[in-house]
Structures are given as structure tokens and as C-alpha cells.
Amino acid sequence: MKHNGRNQAIIKAVYILATLMLAIGLLSACNAQSSNNEEKVETQVNSNNIKEQRAYPLTIKDEAGNEVTLPAKPTKIFAPVLEDSLLALGIKPTMQWSNGVKPQLYLQDQLQGVPEISFASGPPSPETIMADKPDLIVLHNSFYIENGTYEKYAKIAPTYVFKNAATDIKGSIKVLGQLLDEPAKAQQAIQNYQEKVDVAKSKLASKTEGKKVALIRFNAKGMFFMTDEYFSGYVLTHELGFEQSSYVKNGAFEVSLEILPELDADYIFLINDGNLGNPFINELKDSTIWQSTDAFKSNQVFETSEDYWLNGGIHAQGKVIDDVLEFLAP
């Protein structure tokens, strides 16, 4: 009996030891799993930090050669005349440009509630801008440097200056995407616009081949040709495939009734700048010389909306494309 009791005691001790070893093993596995999870979380956090560090602080040179440093992602952007391109990235500015009478009307469905700031008397004072506390200012052309505005604005917040954003819409959107850490949205906006251009160009192929256009802008000072370097002039020639009138290509700027018989344009687009050119457009329409032009006699003269035909940005240019399709390929 004593022998059996001793055996039972040994078996019981072995069982307890095995149970204890199993418990220790399970505890070690849990600790290892917990350690692995903590390591993964820490790695993810570190990865996020690395990503943020790669984007900001960001230091680049603007197109005027000024060094611009952004310590963090901007959230309050003042970019007069560039509202169109900001909206392409899904970003609203803190204030929107106005000529003193109205803002850019074609954007108001997306800019409701954004305060207007008047440029009727030139760039607003630094005090006016400072009151809005922007953390990034973007200026659409180098004239701001020439007139001394850049130097004043750059003291308020990091300020980026384009040489002329209107002559390179796609490039300026890419730059804004870099400044605001939205490169994917910038690329998508450009791609969507290019698809629109390609479809329109295909539809208009029979109307554009070998055809020349002229754009005449009317304002308080008179009548002027628009070139193919920017705004709607760029869209018609570089995007849709029309040729610019030889007369305009050779450097004509101011329009007079006397030169109209020499104007080799199959299509003419009239743009009245805020109705300021009413006296001149009425004079044109009443002229027998005007009525004798080939475009007039062929019923190929079109009056357009100055609101977006005189603006740069993929929203504006997209609406110009819509108009041309309605005019020529309804």
C-alpha cells in the first residue's frame, strides 16, 4: 500500500508540474503576442510620423526664386484668382477675389459663404490680409513682386509666387498639390479635365480642322484681340485644335473696324468684359464693315460669358469647352 501511495504521489507531482509548465507556456505566448502587437502599433505610429515628416516642414522655391517654407500643412489659404484651382483639390480659400462689383460667378456654387475681398483699387492692404490669419498666401503672377505687394504679404505668412499661373493651369495645379500635400487629387483633377478635352476634341474634329478663330474682348478702353497664350484663347487653340487667326498671330492687339476685312477667322468669339464694353460692341454690330465679314455672313459669330471666358482654371476652361460644343456641335 505504501508503494502504491508513493506512485500516486509521483503521478500527482508530475501532473502538477505539467500543468504549471503549460500555464507558463501560455503566459509567454500571450506576452509575445502582446509585444508583437505593441511593436506593430509603434511601427504604424512611427510610419505615420515619417510620412508627415516627409511632407512637412516643406521648403521649396517659388517661380520667382523665393524660398518658401511651410512648417505644417496649411489650413487657411489666401490665393486670389486661384480659387478655381484650389477647388480642383477640394479646398476652399479663406477669402475669394472680387473686382469690387462681383466675384467669379461661375464658382459661387462651390464658394458660398466664403467672404469676398475687393481688388478694385489694387491688392488689399497687408492689414486686411493679416486680419484673416492665413498660413499660406499664393499669388498668381509676378506682378505682385514688381509692385511691392509680395514683400508686404510675405511678412504675414509663407508666400508662393507663380510667374503666371494662367499660362500653365495644369502645372500650377500640380504645384498647389505639392504645397498642400494633395498630389493625388491634383493628378486626378488634371486627368479628369484631359478626358473632357479629348472627348470634346473628337466631337469637334470636323469643325476645327483647318479652321481659324479670333477672340475679341471688349472693355471700357475699346476692342482687343485675345491671343492663344491664356484663358479661352488657349483652350480653343491648344486644347481643341483650332488655329489662331494669322492676323492675331502676327501681333495684332487692338481691333479697329478698318482691319476687319483682313481678319482671316472662320469663327469669331465676342467677350464683353463686365458689360464695360457695351459702347464698343454696339458700334461693331452696327458697322456695315463688320456685317460684311465672312464669319458674320456665315453665322459663325458667338457671344460668350466673360465670367469664365476671361478666367483661368480647369472649371473655367471646362465651361468654355461646354460652350464651344453647344455653339458648334449641339
Side-chain angles (χ1 to χ4, degrees):
M1 292 293 296
K2 288 181 182 180
H3 185 269
N4 289 339
R6 187 181 300 111
N7 289 342
Q8 288 177 356
I10 292 172
I11 291 171
K12 185 175 181 180
V14 170
Y15 175 77
I16 292 172
L17 179 61
T19 302
L20 181 60
M21 292 294 290
L22 178 62
I24 292 173
L26 290 173
L27 182 60
S28 298
C30 289
N31 287 337
Q33 182 64 35
S34 175
S35 176
N36 287 339
N37 288 340
E38 288 175 3
E39 184 177 349
K40 287 179 182 178
V41 171
E42 184 177 353
T43 300
Q44 290 172 357
V45 170
N46 288 338
S47 175
N48 290 337
N49 286 340
I50 290 171
K51 182 180 178 182
E52 184 175 348
Q53 289 170 2
R54 284 177 182 168
Y56 302 99
L58 172 67
T59 299
I60 62 174
K61 282 191 175 182
D62 67 15
E63 293 183 0
N66 303 302
E67 194 171 85
V68 184
T69 298
L70 297 172
K73 182 170 182 173
T75 58
K76 299 187 70 177
I77 301 102
F78 176 55
V81 188
L82 288 168
E83 292 88 352
D84 190 315
S85 294
L86 280 182
L87 290 171
L89 303 180
I91 296 171
K92 286 186 178 182
T94 58
M95 296 182 286
Q96 60 171 316
W97 175 93
S98 167
N99 63 6
V101 178
K102 63 184 187 305
Q104 299 167 91
L105 297 178
Y106 74 99
L107 295 175
Q108 292 314 295
D109 60 334
Q110 301 178 72
L111 289 177
Q112 289 182 357
V114 177
E116 298 174 22
I117 185 165
S118 174
F119 278 68
S121 301
S125 69
E127 291 75 19
T128 303
I129 306 303
M130 192 180 302
D132 203 53
K133 299 179 180 178
D135 49 20
L136 173 63
I137 298 172
V138 186
L139 304 175
H140 70 283
N141 64 40
S142 58
F143 180 69
Y144 288 97
I145 291 180
E146 296 166 14
N147 67 13
T149 301
Y150 165 79
E151 186 177 350
K152 298 173 184 176
Y153 283 8
K155 295 176 181 178
I156 300 171
T159 302
Y160 186 99
V161 183
F162 285 102
K163 185 176 180 180
N164 190 346
T167 61
D168 184 11
I169 297 299
K170 296 173 185 176
S172 59
I173 288 177
K174 287 181 180 179
V175 169
L176 289 173
Q178 182 183 7
L179 290 171
L180 302 172
D181 194 25
E182 297 289 0
K185 288 183 179 179
Q187 189 57 45
Q188 187 62 55
I190 293 169
Q191 180 180 329
N192 292 344
Y193 173 70
Q194 189 59 50
E195 289 172 358
K196 184 183 186 78
V197 169
D198 293 342
V199 170
K201 191 171 183 178
S202 177
K203 288 182 179 179
L204 292 167
S206 63
K207 306 287 186 180
T208 61
E209 186 176 0
K211 300 295 184 180
K212 296 180 180 180
V213 295
L215 293 85
I216 303 178
R217 176 180 183 174
F218 301 82
N219 60 28
K221 296 181 180 179
M223 302 181 286
F224 307 91
F225 288 117
M226 282 182 59
T227 72
D228 64 351
E229 296 175 351
Y230 56 93
F231 299 160
S232 48
Y234 183 92
V235 176
L236 266 63
T237 53
H238 297 278
E239 305 281 41
L240 298 182
F242 292 99
E243 294 181 30
Q244 186 175 220
S245 162
S246 303
Y247 196 84
V248 180
K249 188 182 293 185
N250 291 333
F253 178 63
E254 190 167 354
V255 181
S256 66
L257 296 177
E258 290 73 25
I259 61 94
L260 290 177
E262 304 173 31
L263 185 61
D264 59 335
D266 299 286
Y267 305 103
I268 299 177
F269 298 89
L270 307 180
I271 313 169
N272 191 353
D273 193 349
N275 296 321
L276 297 174
N278 281 343
F280 298 100
I281 198 169
N282 291 334
E283 178 187 0
L284 180 75
K285 290 180 178 179
D286 292 340
S287 165
T288 55
I289 298 176
W290 166 250
Q291 294 168 12
S292 67
T293 60
D294 290 339
F296 181 89
K297 290 188 292 186
S298 302
N299 198 31
Q300 301 295 353
V301 176
F302 306 98
E303 295 189 48
T304 68
S305 169
E306 52 86 19
D307 184 43
Y308 47 88
W309 278 67
L310 295 178
N311 270 296
I314 58 175
H315 293 94
Q317 294 185 177
K319 292 179 77 65
V320 169
I321 291 172
D322 291 339
D323 281 355
V324 175
L325 285 170
E326 185 177 345
F327 292 149
L328 302 180

